Amino acid sequence: MAAVVVGGGEAAAAAGGGGGKKRGASRSWILFDAAGEERVLDADKYAIMHRVDINARDLRILDPLLSYPSTILGRERAIVLNLEHIKAIVTAEEVLLRDPLDDNVIPVVEELRRRLAPSSATQHDVEGAEEDESPFEFRALEVTLEAICSFLGARTTELESAAYPALDELTSKISSRNLDRVRKLKSGMTRLNGRVQKVRDELEQLLDDDDDMADLYLSRKLAGAASPVSGSGGPNWFPASPTIGSKISRASRASAATIHGNENDVEELEMLLEAYFMQIDGTLNKLTTLREYIDDTEDYINIQLDNHRNQLIQLELFLSSGTVCLSLYSLVAGIFGMNIPYTWNDNHGYVFKWVVLVSGLFCAFMFVSIVAYARHKGLVGS
């Protein structure tokens, strides 16, 4: 592995000297090539466009200031990857990774450094030799897919470990604190579910289209251009690369059968994408299960709240019935308590106790009747 070299001259030269900083904002990139060397490039977008031969529309997808969904684009000479925080450009012999000092990108840089190193420097067994047979762009693509799947899987595991205890606590005790905690977790789950869904949809779209997968075979295109079958007048795609000759030689040997009639063979890439599609689909299933658990908890909470409301309604019915009966009793008391001289009030003092007794019994009977009728109609519980 070669030492890291910080380079800015190439970007400035490609952008036209000092004027490049005015035309395009400088961004930090780290470059890995097929020879195992790595460099840090402080290059603007024009230098990057010139180096990998992509247009501004494709490079705009990698702008962290713009919100673009997860995308894997196959171009004639490059693969443009926008997978959450992983923003990279892969060619047949180079990988350019944006913002390598970002905390979430550092593990990707380390994995690229390990996986893209020459096999003689890192592995000496048969398995390492077989791994080296894969095209360079597929090894780089595998690293990025593995990184994003692991990242989203880890976020999902963290969310599960926090959500399930919070939901169980909410079912046992409904409080403002628990409700607010679950609300925040549900909001985070919704955002994470959308991110995972976008990655899954992009992989599914690639798997459903053989032509899109064929566009990702950069080594095959490079070998076809360098092959005698394609003539000697093919374009020089990477004039500034010191490893182009060795890469063409390896790609030519690996793609000899492809040139003679297997141009649409995408089985190797399909197996790679299928593996990570299943992994991201498993993550999405976990989030779906968590969403269903949250929905079930919400239904349970709503049932509990409905039950409490029904109990309050029953209490209100009892109180209203009692109020009506007492109102009748008060009506009788008010009639006999009016300070108006009546002749039938004279010499009838013994009737007072009967009026009080009969009025009380009548009101009690009326209250019991109302409650019995409500129970008979199922308006209150037994």
Side-chain angles (χ1 to χ4, degrees), residues 289-315:
T289 302
L290 179 58
R291 177 184 290 275
E292 293 175 351
Y293 193 84
I294 292 178
D295 293 339
D296 292 341
T297 303
E298 289 180 345
D299 293 339
Y300 177 76
I301 297 301
N302 290 330
I303 291 174
Q304 282 189 323
L305 294 177
D306 290 340
N307 183 52
H308 291 328
R309 281 192 292 267
N310 291 336
Q311 291 177 351
L312 291 175
I313 292 174
Q314 292 181 18
L315 177 61

Tab-separated table of all heavy atoms in Angstrom, residues 289-315:
chain	number	residue	atom	x	y	z
A	289	THR	N	-41.866	-5.208	11.040
A	289	THR	CA	-42.331	-5.873	12.272
A	289	THR	C	-42.437	-4.873	13.414
A	289	THR	O	-43.397	-4.903	14.198
A	289	THR	CB	-41.365	-7.009	12.633
A	289	THR	OG1	-41.281	-7.946	11.552
A	289	THR	CG2	-41.837	-7.731	13.883
A	290	LEU	N	-41.443	-3.989	13.508
A	290	LEU	CA	-41.480	-2.968	14.556
A	290	LEU	C	-42.658	-2.021	14.356
A	290	LEU	O	-43.336	-1.640	15.327
A	290	LEU	CB	-40.164	-2.189	14.554
A	290	LEU	CG	-40.042	-1.052	15.580
A	290	LEU	CD1	-40.232	-1.585	16.996
A	290	LEU	CD2	-38.695	-0.358	15.446
A	291	ARG	N	-42.928	-1.651	13.103
A	291	ARG	CA	-44.071	-0.790	12.829
A	291	ARG	C	-45.379	-1.485	13.233
A	291	ARG	O	-46.276	-0.859	13.807
A	291	ARG	CB	-44.114	-0.421	11.348
A	291	ARG	CG	-45.321	0.415	10.956
A	291	ARG	CD	-45.352	0.657	9.469
A	291	ARG	NE	-44.293	1.563	9.068
A	291	ARG	CZ	-44.384	2.891	9.113
A	291	ARG	NH1	-45.493	3.459	9.558
A	291	ARG	NH2	-43.393	3.646	8.728
A	292	GLU	N	-45.503	-2.758	12.922
A	292	GLU	CA	-46.702	-3.496	13.305
A	292	GLU	C	-46.841	-3.570	14.824
A	292	GLU	O	-47.956	-3.456	15.360
A	292	GLU	CB	-46.658	-4.904	12.712
A	292	GLU	CG	-46.763	-4.930	11.182
A	292	GLU	CD	-46.597	-6.318	10.621
A	292	GLU	OE1	-46.231	-7.238	11.405
A	292	GLU	OE2	-46.806	-6.514	9.401
A	293	TYR	N	-45.710	-3.736	15.509
A	293	TYR	CA	-45.748	-3.776	16.974
A	293	TYR	C	-46.193	-2.426	17.527
A	293	TYR	O	-46.974	-2.359	18.498
A	293	TYR	CB	-44.371	-4.156	17.510
A	293	TYR	CG	-44.360	-4.539	18.973
A	293	TYR	CD1	-44.669	-5.832	19.379
A	293	TYR	CD2	-44.036	-3.614	19.957
A	293	TYR	CE1	-44.669	-6.184	20.710
A	293	TYR	CE2	-44.027	-3.955	21.293
A	293	TYR	CZ	-44.337	-5.241	21.670
A	293	TYR	OH	-44.336	-5.590	22.995
A	294	ILE	N	-45.698	-1.350	16.916
A	294	ILE	CA	-46.116	-0.011	17.343
A	294	ILE	C	-47.604	0.191	17.079
A	294	ILE	O	-48.334	0.736	17.915
A	294	ILE	CB	-45.275	1.060	16.626
A	294	ILE	CG1	-43.823	1.016	17.113
A	294	ILE	CG2	-45.857	2.449	16.843
A	294	ILE	CD1	-42.907	1.999	16.418
A	295	ASP	N	-48.063	-0.249	15.905
A	295	ASP	CA	-49.491	-0.124	15.589
A	295	ASP	C	-50.340	-0.930	16.561
A	295	ASP	O	-51.418	-0.467	17.003
A	295	ASP	CB	-49.752	-0.584	14.156
A	295	ASP	CG	-49.123	0.345	13.118
A	295	ASP	OD1	-48.854	1.511	13.474
A	295	ASP	OD2	-48.908	-0.098	11.976
A	296	ASP	N	-49.878	-2.144	16.901
A	296	ASP	CA	-50.625	-2.954	17.874
A	296	ASP	C	-50.659	-2.271	19.238
A	296	ASP	O	-51.683	-2.292	19.928
A	296	ASP	CB	-49.978	-4.338	17.999
A	296	ASP	CG	-50.142	-5.164	16.726
A	296	ASP	OD1	-51.025	-4.825	15.914
A	296	ASP	OD2	-49.374	-6.129	16.542
A	297	THR	N	-49.527	-1.674	19.617
A	297	THR	CA	-49.490	-0.964	20.898
A	297	THR	C	-50.435	0.233	20.886
A	297	THR	O	-51.141	0.499	21.869
A	297	THR	CB	-48.058	-0.497	21.199
A	297	THR	OG1	-47.173	-1.627	21.210
A	297	THR	CG2	-47.985	0.202	22.550
A	298	GLU	N	-50.464	0.959	19.773
A	298	GLU	CA	-51.384	2.089	19.650
A	298	GLU	C	-52.836	1.623	19.750
A	298	GLU	O	-53.659	2.274	20.407
A	298	GLU	CB	-51.148	2.815	18.330
A	298	GLU	CG	-49.847	3.600	18.275
A	298	GLU	CD	-49.673	4.305	16.950
A	298	GLU	OE1	-50.402	3.966	15.991
A	298	GLU	OE2	-48.804	5.195	16.862
A	299	ASP	N	-53.136	0.510	19.110
A	299	ASP	CA	-54.501	-0.027	19.201
A	299	ASP	C	-54.843	-0.399	20.640
A	299	ASP	O	-55.957	-0.138	21.119
A	299	ASP	CB	-54.653	-1.249	18.294
A	299	ASP	CG	-54.555	-0.886	16.819
A	299	ASP	OD1	-54.762	0.296	16.492
A	299	ASP	OD2	-54.259	-1.785	16.007
A	300	TYR	N	-53.868	-1.005	21.325
A	300	TYR	CA	-54.098	-1.398	22.721
A	300	TYR	C	-54.315	-0.165	23.595
A	300	TYR	O	-55.215	-0.143	24.462
A	300	TYR	CB	-52.909	-2.215	23.220
A	300	TYR	CG	-53.002	-2.607	24.671
A	300	TYR	CD1	-53.846	-3.631	25.087
A	300	TYR	CD2	-52.236	-1.950	25.640
A	300	TYR	CE1	-53.931	-3.988	26.426
A	300	TYR	CE2	-52.312	-2.304	26.972
A	300	TYR	CZ	-53.154	-3.324	27.365
A	300	TYR	OH	-53.232	-3.673	28.679
A	301	ILE	N	-53.491	0.875	23.372
A	301	ILE	CA	-53.637	2.112	24.145
A	301	ILE	C	-54.988	2.758	23.856
A	301	ILE	O	-55.679	3.248	24.770
A	301	ILE	CB	-52.492	3.082	23.824
A	301	ILE	CG1	-51.147	2.473	24.230
A	301	ILE	CG2	-52.705	4.415	24.512
A	301	ILE	CD1	-51.030	2.134	25.686
A	302	ASN	N	-55.388	2.759	22.595
A	302	ASN	CA	-56.689	3.337	22.243
A	302	ASN	C	-57.835	2.573	22.881
A	302	ASN	O	-58.841	3.161	23.316
A	302	ASN	CB	-56.857	3.362	20.729
A	302	ASN	CG	-55.953	4.376	20.063
A	302	ASN	OD1	-55.610	5.404	20.650
A	302	ASN	ND2	-55.565	4.112	18.829
A	303	ILE	N	-57.704	1.243	22.960
A	303	ILE	CA	-58.737	0.440	23.614
A	303	ILE	C	-58.813	0.787	25.097
A	303	ILE	O	-59.906	0.928	25.671
A	303	ILE	CB	-58.450	-1.058	23.410
A	303	ILE	CG1	-58.651	-1.441	21.932
A	303	ILE	CG2	-59.345	-1.909	24.303
A	303	ILE	CD1	-58.242	-2.852	21.621
A	304	GLN	N	-57.626	0.938	25.715
A	304	GLN	CA	-57.624	1.312	27.126
A	304	GLN	C	-58.265	2.689	27.341
A	304	GLN	O	-59.059	2.882	28.268
A	304	GLN	CB	-56.186	1.323	27.659
A	304	GLN	CG	-55.624	-0.057	27.965
A	304	GLN	CD	-54.294	0.036	28.693
A	304	GLN	OE1	-53.477	0.904	28.416
A	304	GLN	NE2	-54.074	-0.869	29.632
A	305	LEU	N	-57.917	3.634	26.479
A	305	LEU	CA	-58.488	4.973	26.611
A	305	LEU	C	-59.994	4.957	26.361
A	305	LEU	O	-60.749	5.663	27.042
A	305	LEU	CB	-57.793	5.929	25.637
A	305	LEU	CG	-56.311	6.201	25.912
A	305	LEU	CD1	-55.727	7.103	24.813
A	305	LEU	CD2	-56.120	6.844	27.280
A	306	ASP	N	-60.416	4.154	25.394
A	306	ASP	CA	-61.857	4.030	25.152
A	306	ASP	C	-62.568	3.445	26.360
A	306	ASP	O	-63.695	3.862	26.711
A	306	ASP	CB	-62.110	3.163	23.918
A	306	ASP	CG	-61.700	3.857	22.634
A	306	ASP	OD1	-61.591	5.098	22.642
A	306	ASP	OD2	-61.489	3.161	21.618
A	307	ASN	N	-61.910	2.474	26.981
A	307	ASN	CA	-62.517	1.873	28.176
A	307	ASN	C	-62.633	2.897	29.300
A	307	ASN	O	-63.666	2.961	30.008
A	307	ASN	CB	-61.675	0.681	28.623
A	307	ASN	CG	-62.284	-0.039	29.821
A	307	ASN	OD1	-63.442	-0.418	29.828
A	307	ASN	ND2	-61.463	-0.223	30.860
A	308	HIS	N	-61.601	3.716	29.471
A	308	HIS	CA	-61.669	4.757	30.498
A	308	HIS	C	-62.769	5.773	30.177
A	308	HIS	O	-63.501	6.215	31.078
A	308	HIS	CB	-60.317	5.471	30.602
A	308	HIS	CG	-59.228	4.616	31.176
A	308	HIS	ND1	-59.461	3.638	32.120
A	308	HIS	CD2	-57.885	4.583	30.934
A	308	HIS	CE1	-58.335	3.048	32.452
A	308	HIS	NE2	-57.347	3.602	31.733
A	309	ARG	N	-62.872	6.122	28.909
A	309	ARG	CA	-63.937	7.056	28.514
A	309	ARG	C	-65.314	6.461	28.765
A	309	ARG	O	-66.242	7.158	29.213
A	309	ARG	CB	-63.770	7.435	27.036
A	309	ARG	CG	-62.693	8.477	26.786
A	309	ARG	CD	-62.776	9.018	25.375
A	309	ARG	NE	-62.411	8.000	24.396
A	309	ARG	CZ	-61.177	7.836	23.915
A	309	ARG	NH1	-60.201	8.627	24.331
A	309	ARG	NH2	-60.911	6.904	23.020
A	310	ASN	N	-65.476	5.172	28.491
A	310	ASN	CA	-66.766	4.516	28.750
A	310	ASN	C	-67.097	4.515	30.242
A	310	ASN	O	-68.264	4.707	30.636
A	310	ASN	CB	-66.735	3.086	28.227
A	310	ASN	CG	-66.698	3.026	26.709
A	310	ASN	OD1	-67.126	3.970	26.037
A	310	ASN	ND2	-66.197	1.931	26.171
A	311	GLN	N	-66.058	4.292	31.052
A	311	GLN	CA	-66.298	4.323	32.493
A	311	GLN	C	-66.717	5.719	32.957
A	311	GLN	O	-67.593	5.864	33.827
A	311	GLN	CB	-65.034	3.873	33.238
A	311	GLN	CG	-64.711	2.396	33.041
A	311	GLN	CD	-63.422	1.984	33.726
A	311	GLN	OE1	-62.672	2.822	34.217
A	311	GLN	NE2	-63.156	0.687	33.760
A	312	LEU	N	-66.082	6.731	32.378
A	312	LEU	CA	-66.468	8.102	32.722
A	312	LEU	C	-67.894	8.409	32.270
A	312	LEU	O	-68.658	9.100	32.970
A	312	LEU	CB	-65.489	9.091	32.091
A	312	LEU	CG	-64.076	9.107	32.670
A	312	LEU	CD1	-63.185	10.054	31.872
A	312	LEU	CD2	-64.103	9.526	34.141
A	313	ILE	N	-68.269	7.889	31.110
A	313	ILE	CA	-69.633	8.098	30.617
A	313	ILE	C	-70.650	7.418	31.543
A	313	ILE	O	-71.726	7.969	31.833
A	313	ILE	CB	-69.759	7.574	29.169
A	313	ILE	CG1	-68.926	8.451	28.221
A	313	ILE	CG2	-71.217	7.549	28.732
A	313	ILE	CD1	-68.867	7.925	26.805
A	314	GLN	N	-70.302	6.222	32.003
A	314	GLN	CA	-71.196	5.527	32.931
A	314	GLN	C	-71.345	6.310	34.233
A	314	GLN	O	-72.446	6.458	34.766
A	314	GLN	CB	-70.639	4.132	33.229
A	314	GLN	CG	-70.674	3.184	32.031
A	314	GLN	CD	-70.124	1.809	32.376
A	314	GLN	OE1	-70.036	1.452	33.546
A	314	GLN	NE2	-69.758	1.051	31.365
A	315	LEU	N	-70.209	6.822	34.722
A	315	LEU	CA	-70.277	7.623	35.943
A	315	LEU	C	-71.131	8.873	35.717
A	315	LEU	O	-71.932	9.259	36.595
A	315	LEU	CB	-68.864	8.004	36.377
A	315	LEU	CG	-68.750	8.903	37.613
A	315	LEU	CD1	-69.350	8.198	38.833
A	315	LEU	CD2	-67.294	9.281	37.864
